[in-house]
Amino acid sequence: MIGRKVAVTHKTINRTPGTSLRSVQAAILVVMACALAGCTTGAMDLFGSTPKVDRSLSTATVPTRTTESVSDEKTVLNAVSSADLVKLGSSPLPWANTSTGSAGVVSEIHEVNLNSQVCRQFLTTRHSYEGIARMRGNACLVGTEWTMTSFAPQTN
């Protein structure tokens, strides 16, 4: 190309200024609208592979007294009433309820005589599906059987 002259010719196309810019903007808007419609309505799912929402289950607040808490109460009662306090000393006493999945550790047990009745006052934790709580309880020997007289979340 050295030493050669090249002639360049220009063709003139009659267009209104901004026509191509408006066409590009319109095309972008159409593409965005189609993409958003597919995301929000599932219309772009041609084969129905999107899993459907299972509406058969619903949730509600957790009741304060469930069969699980009664079962845990019985498990704690068994642990507290069968503990050998002399051997246990100040060691923690772990407990677990395999039927509910709850577990905890009794950190304090004090045996007292209330009105000539043997009772054990205790403090324990309860780890369950409802959450973690510190519980205070009292179990008394009534005749030959231990009975839970109180078992409630610790207030202080």
Side-chain angles (χ1 to χ4, degrees):
M1 298 240 178
I2 298 176
R4 284 189 177 182
K5 289 185 181 180
V6 178
V8 178
T9 60
H10 294 285
K11 290 186 178 179
T12 321
I13 300 173
N14 291 330
R15 279 194 257 195
T16 313
T19 302
S20 65
L21 181 60
R22 275 186 255 154
S23 298
V24 170
Q25 287 174 339
I28 290 173
L29 284 174
V30 169
V31 169
M32 288 176 56
C34 289
L36 290 175
C39 291
T40 58
T41 64
M44 299 299 275
D45 186 13
L46 301 176
F47 303 106
S49 62
T50 303
K52 303 299 179 213
V53 176
D54 181 8
R55 303 229 185 253
S56 65
L57 299 175
S58 64
T59 61
T61 59
V62 178
T64 56
R65 183 114 167 120
T66 63
T67 55
E68 286 182 2
S69 64
V70 171
S71 178
D72 291 344
E73 188 175 309
K74 288 179 182 178
T75 303
V76 173
L77 175 64
N78 289 338
V80 169
S81 64
S82 63
D84 184 349
L85 298 183
V86 175
K87 286 184 181 178
L88 186 63
S90 62
S91 299
L93 176 66
W95 62 270
N97 186 345
T98 56
S99 63
T100 64
S102 299
V105 176
V106 178
S107 57
E108 297 177 21
I109 303 176
H110 301 286
E111 191 167 277
V112 294
N113 283 320
L114 298 173
N115 299 326
S116 66
Q117 189 176 34
V118 177
C119 294
R120 291 186 175 180
Q121 299 169 342
F122 61 91
L123 183 63
T124 185
T125 56
R126 179 175 176 252
H127 303 252
S128 72
Y129 294 113
E130 296 172 354
I132 300 172
R134 289 179 55 91
M135 309 291 283
R136 185 169 293 283
N138 190 50
C140 295
L141 187 59
V142 179
T144 58
E145 195 171 311
W146 284 93
T147 304
M148 187 76 78
T149 58
S150 68
F151 188 70
Q154 185 180 8
T155 56
N156 54 2

